[in-house]
Amino acid sequence: MAGLWGPWKNPKTGQWEDTLAIITDDPNAKMSEIHDR
């Protein structure tokens, strides 16, 4: 699992906003015991 975060300036409001994303993949043997991705 990895996460990305970055601010961006909304052109409609002119205000800075935070954006984030979490990237998931198939689990390894340890993680598959508690989660499916």
Side-chain angles (χ1 to χ4, degrees):
M1 175 173 12
L4 301 172
W5 168 83
W8 67 286
K9 193 169 189 178
N10 186 328
K12 292 182 181 179
T13 65
Q15 294 186 348
W16 285 95
E17 300 186 20
D18 294 328
T19 301
L20 61 98
I22 296 174
I23 301 167
T24 61
D25 197 0
D26 294 332
N28 61 19
K30 270 249 194 251
M31 280 301 286
S32 65
E33 296 173 9
I34 60 171
H35 208 284
D36 64 353
R37 45 177 188 193

